[in-house]
Amino acid sequence: MSAGVPIWRCAGCGVAYFPEPLLCPRCHGGKFESGRVHEALIEEVSVIRHMIGQENWQPRRIASVLATGGPRMTVGLRDESGPGATIELFEEGTAPFGRAKSSA
Amino acid sequence: MFQNAAIIGVGQSAYTRRPEPGQTALHFMRDAVVAALDDARLNAKDIQGMAVASFSLAPDSAVDLAWKLGLSLRWLAQDTNGGSAGMSMLGNALRAVETGTAETVLILGGDATGLAGYAKVAANYNTATQKHLSPLGHGGPNGVYALVASRQIKKYGLEKSDYGHIAIAQREWAAKNPYAVYRAPLTMDEYLAAPLVADPLSRYDCVPVVAGAQAIIVARPDRAPKGRPGVRVRAHRASYNYDNQEGDGLQTGISTFASELWQEAGVRPDDIDVASIYDDYPTMVLAQSSDLGLIPGNDLARFCRVTIGERRFPMNTWGGMLSAGQPGGHAGGLNGISEAVLQCQHRAGERQVKAARLAVTTGYGMTMYRYGGTAAAAILERVE
Ligand SMILES: [Zn+2]
């Protein structure tokens, strides 16, 4: 697990992307600064209650989020955070997850 | 408008939730080909071109299928556009025939993945899905469109029952389609009581996976069976990666070409007698109908409750994939085209829409990350 989720910010126009593009869809520049985004706003949540081809599936929560200063992405939620909440992002393998911000 | 190319035959295999052991996608595709040739009154030898889309061909390619079917061809294409593959292949076939590249083209789609096979396809749909969605346990397209549905409900003030009107109306049509896998009437109480699959989507909002295949034959109009009205395509448009996945998914690629489509066809949404709107989810039926301008005032709630709820507009008259089943998006999309052809030819039996003359058909597919990235539509017309 690592803190934050990778994003790719176009060196030409500054727009951030996830997943990684080859050329910027806005300006078609090919240079990106890679960085990580650590927070996101939850916009929609779903509970996946049934998975095709799987028995004994335990419900999981996913969310569409707007990363701070960055793109929209779909994350797995590790707690009961709901729409409107700001969450902290982390990565497991190649997949983005989120949970309520730990009070610093 | 295509002057020198028309749809001259349609055919399908049986649809089944559970294929018999040893019964593969190829067997269903063969049955669909035989039915379409029979319908067009052509021999396999008459076929000069083929377009095919299926999740079940690998490691074979289109040419291997041509070999298995004994077809020697001068035009061949394999399409990978999922739910819009049927429409995409239709456009390519029309252009191949219109330009004289081939006089007769067979369009074919079919799958028999079974549930486990479908789960594998869904989890490995593309790199973005494989790397960034599947590890979340996102539930395949159900999870993706659950999030899109939440946005749609919020934006348009929809109730859960609004999606129900679409599922229930289509089930009513399916009762009149002997090929549909679900034909028993569905009540609103049953719809609302169905278990949630991926909130807010419940069982009847999610397309059931079936095994089956569809075929269509496009040819020069003079090859059409005598004594049967022809079906020509007044306009066809497609869109691929319309917004780089940066929108909300509540518009589709159809929004990029709808005005051109109507203009080229020389008709208006009001003129349409029957519609086949790609229905993997009621959510996306509404999104495409909205893009096409089929929803007055873009009042989605009223469209569900009145236009569909009170059966004022015949949409997905074969039951749609929601009731007939989805044999892969490829064949699922072809089924909507076939139904539009049958309706325009007044061959839809108990489902026949009186005096149907003009139909709109769509395809929508390739759930790239946050929603589908491909879409296509056509306006079909009865020619006496
Ligand atoms: Zn740029």
Side-chain angles (χ1 to χ4, degrees):
Chain A
M1 189 192 92
S2 43
V5 169
I7 53 163
W8 289 266
R9 193 173 293 281
C10 173
C13 71
V15 175
Y17 296 99
F18 177 90
E20 184 180 10
L22 290 173
L23 292 177
C24 171
R26 309 280 170 98
C27 73
H28 289 98
K31 280 196 179 149
F32 295 90
E33 289 147 11
S34 56
R36 296 185 84 78
V37 62
H38 292 271
E39 279 187 7
L41 174 72
I42 298 181
E43 294 186 320
E44 294 90 24
V45 171
S46 180
V47 184
I48 310 302
R49 298 177 191 272
H50 175 79
M51 179 72 111
I52 202 163
Q54 295 248 1
E55 284 170 28
N56 305 317
W57 174 258
Q58 294 304 308
R60 299 197 200 183
R61 306 181 83 230
I62 63 168
S64 181
V65 304
L66 178 60
T68 306
R72 286 197 164 80
M73 54 180 77
T74 305
V75 305
L77 279 181
R78 281 291 161 74
D79 58 23
E80 295 301 307
S81 299
T86 299
I87 51 169
E88 67 179 19
L89 297 173
F90 60 97
E91 196 184 17
E92 279 184 11
T94 55
F97 286 86
R99 65 184 158 218
K101 283 199 290 182
S102 49
S103 43
Chain B
M1 172 140 34
F2 295 93
Q3 302 285 3
N4 302 309
I7 303 174
I8 69 156
V10 300
Q12 76 167 96
S13 72
Y15 274 26
T16 174
R17 282 289 268 169
R18 292 178 204 290
E20 304 289 328
Q23 203 181 17
T24 70
L26 297 178
H27 297 115
F28 289 96
M29 287 199 265
R30 176 196 58 198
D31 292 349
V33 170
V34 169
L37 286 171
D38 186 50
D39 190 55
R41 293 180 210 146
L42 291 181
N43 294 312
K45 281 198 187 79
D46 299 322
I47 297 297
Q48 296 186 346
M50 180 173 79
V52 62
S54 171
F55 291 123
S56 311
L57 287 184
D60 281 2
S61 299
V63 72
D64 298 294
L65 186 62
W67 180 21
K68 288 186 164 97
L69 292 168
L71 301 177
S72 298
L73 306 168
R74 59 167 76 173
W75 184 89
L76 180 65
Q78 188 165 348
D79 195 287
T80 57
N81 291 302
S84 74
M87 288 300 305
S88 175
M89 293 190 288
L90 175 65
N92 293 337
L94 286 164
R95 288 169 182 100
V97 172
E98 185 80 14
T99 56
T101 311
E103 281 186 20
T104 46
V105 173
L106 169 69
I107 303 173
L108 181 58
D111 271 298
T113 54
L115 290 186
Y118 176 80
K120 213 176 268 180
V121 169
N124 298 289
Y125 206 55
N126 63 0
T127 311
T129 303
Q130 206 174 43
K131 288 172 70 175
H132 308 307
L133 291 178
S134 295
L136 315 178
H138 80 304
N142 292 342
V144 172
Y145 292 101
L147 295 171
V148 177
S150 290
R151 286 197 276 282
Q152 190 177 57
I153 287 168
K154 227 178 345 185
K155 179 168 176 181
Y156 294 100
L158 300 180
E159 310 273 345
K160 171 74 177 165
S161 56
D162 290 331
Y163 291 152
H165 289 299
I166 293 175
I168 291 165
Q170 292 192 187
R171 182 60 66 86
E172 230 172 84
W173 286 111
K176 301 171 182 172
N177 176 6
Y179 288 100
V181 293
Y182 293 111
R183 297 201 288 269
L186 178 64
T187 66
M188 186 59 89
D189 287 343
E190 284 167 329
Y191 170 84
L192 291 172
L196 283 163
V197 174
D199 310 19
L201 304 180
S202 49
R203 178 182 294 159
Y204 299 111
D205 297 314
C206 300
V207 75
V209 177
V210 301
Q214 298 280 147
I216 289 178
I217 294 174
V218 170
R220 281 186 10 195
D222 61 4
R223 303 300 296 264
K226 302 288 172 255
R228 183 197 285 171
V231 175
R232 77 173 156 204
V233 179
R234 292 191 67 95
H236 175 280
R237 286 286 186 283
S239 160
Y240 306 97
N241 185 40
Y242 66 112
D243 74 346
N244 296 294
Q245 300 284 296
E246 289 186 44
D248 56 14
L250 300 182
Q251 283 193 303
T252 70
I254 292 171
S255 62
T256 65
F257 62 65
S259 57
E260 266 180 49
L261 180 81
W262 293 115
Q263 197 173 14
E264 183 183 330
V267 298
R268 295 173 314 167
D270 278 359
D271 298 325
I272 293 296
D273 300 308
V274 57
S276 292
I277 308 296
Y278 191 82
D279 65 321
D280 44 0
Y281 300 90
T283 307
M284 298 322 297
V285 170
L286 293 176
Q288 294 166 85
S289 300
S290 161
D291 288 345
L292 280 170
L294 293 176
I295 303 183
N298 213 27
D299 186 342
L300 272 57
R302 187 176 191 280
F303 184 76
C304 294
R305 292 165 205 174
V306 179
T307 310
I308 300 301
E310 296 178 7
R311 312 293 185 265
R312 296 189 186 185
F313 182 60
M315 191 175 71
N316 294 340
T317 48
W318 78 104
M321 298 190 301
L322 287 171
S323 281
Q326 182 190 47
H330 312 117
L334 284 173
N335 202 342
I337 304 170
S338 293
E339 175 72 6
V341 170
L342 294 174
Q343 288 285 354
C344 287
Q345 292 177 325
H346 300 175
R347 295 200 291 150
E350 279 186 84
R351 309 189 299 280
Q352 185 60 49
V353 173
K354 210 176 159 200
R357 194 180 68 79
L358 271 178
V360 60
T361 70
T362 73
Y364 170 82
M366 298 315 285
T367 306
M368 292 154 67
Y369 182 52
R370 301 178 60 241
Y371 42 83
T374 71
I379 311 294
L380 275 51
E381 180 186 38
R382 173 189 176 92
V383 185
E384 299 293 347

